[in-house]
Amino acid sequence: MSSIELESVITCPECGTATRETMPTNACQWFYECSACHAVLKPLPGDCCVYCSYGTVKCPPIQQGSSCCSGGV
């Protein structure tokens, strides 16, 4: 079994700021506020969390091949 990556770089679609974040392993993150422009990001349709939509690495449950929480927003 391969290891799970816990860090992902989220890129804001509004201003392009990229920020390295540590993903939670026990919950989905449905909202993320950009540190530069303060836009509040939500998962795109079909994605479970902001990491799956805007991150360089999918969230830990998706990496493990299971579903993530309850489908987000």
Side-chain angles (χ1 to χ4, degrees), residues 8-25:
S8 183
V9 176
I10 290 184
T11 302
C12 177
E14 299 293 322
C15 71
T17 297
T19 306
R20 181 173 300 278
E21 299 286 352
T22 300
M23 296 182 279
T25 58

Side-chain angles (χ1 to χ4, degrees), residues 1-5 59-66:
M1 180 176 204
S2 58
S3 63
I4 301 299
E5 289 187 59
C59 66
I62 297 298
Q63 290 181 54
Q64 292 175 319
S66 61

Side-chain angles (χ1 to χ4, degrees), residues 12-72:
C12 177
E14 299 293 322
C15 71
T17 297
T19 306
R20 181 173 300 278
E21 299 286 352
T22 300
M23 296 182 279
T25 58
N26 60 351
C28 288
Q29 187 161 340
W30 293 337
F31 300 100
Y32 177 83
E33 183 177 350
C34 175
S35 61
C37 73
H38 301 286
V40 176
L41 310 182
K42 298 186 303 186
L44 296 171
D47 285 340
C48 62
C49 67
V50 293
Y51 292 105
C52 289
S53 294
Y54 305 104
T56 55
V57 177
K58 302 288 185 187
C59 66
I62 297 298
Q63 290 181 54
Q64 292 175 319
S66 61
S67 63
C68 181
C69 300
S70 60

